[in-house]
Amino acid sequence: MRRFFDITFGPAELDMLEAALARWCKVHSLSRQSTEAALAAEVFINLFREGNSTLPQLEQAASRHKWLSERTAIYPPSSDSAVESSPPRQSRVTAH
């Protein structure tokens, strides 16, 4: 656990995190200024701290990360103010 907190970020590491985030945003058609991108940046930093220290490792870890892999499948990319909507309920009427 100590290694997690002792990780330092130099220019090369920041460039790699930036590249991973940029690719993720592009794949999911999200603005880099979106709430989702800010949360994804935090996840990428944690994935790096967990030992995913190359771009391929980061992208592989991101593909296994529940939120990163499912977020845009559940919430389609639109705007920051988009709210999850439920499908309309079908009322079931039965004749007696």
Side-chain angles (χ1 to χ4, degrees):
M1 182 71 153
R2 178 146 174 86
R3 182 181 180 279
F4 183 87
F5 293 110
D6 288 341
I7 298 290
T8 56
F9 298 93
E13 291 81 14
L14 293 174
D15 286 345
M16 182 180 45
L17 287 165
E18 171 78 21
L21 180 62
R23 284 184 180 184
W24 185 85
C25 286
K26 184 176 181 179
V27 165
H28 296 290
S29 302
L30 292 170
S31 163
R32 294 288 309 280
Q33 285 70 43
S34 69
T35 303
E36 289 87 354
L39 292 171
E42 293 178 28
V43 172
F44 275 110
I45 289 169
N46 284 333
L47 292 174
F48 181 85
R49 285 181 167 164
E50 290 172 356
N52 301 288
S53 57
T54 67
L55 188 55
Q57 287 174 337
L58 273 175
E59 291 176 337
Q60 181 67 21
S63 72
R64 293 187 310 264
H65 187 276
K66 183 172 178 63
W67 185 84
L68 287 176
S69 62
E70 293 179 356
R71 178 67 177 163
T72 54
I74 296 170
Y75 303 99
S78 55
S79 70
D80 283 342
S81 60
V83 177
E84 178 184 9
S85 61
S86 302
R89 289 186 171 205
Q90 298 280 334
S91 61
R92 197 173 219 184
V93 178
T94 18
H96 287 72

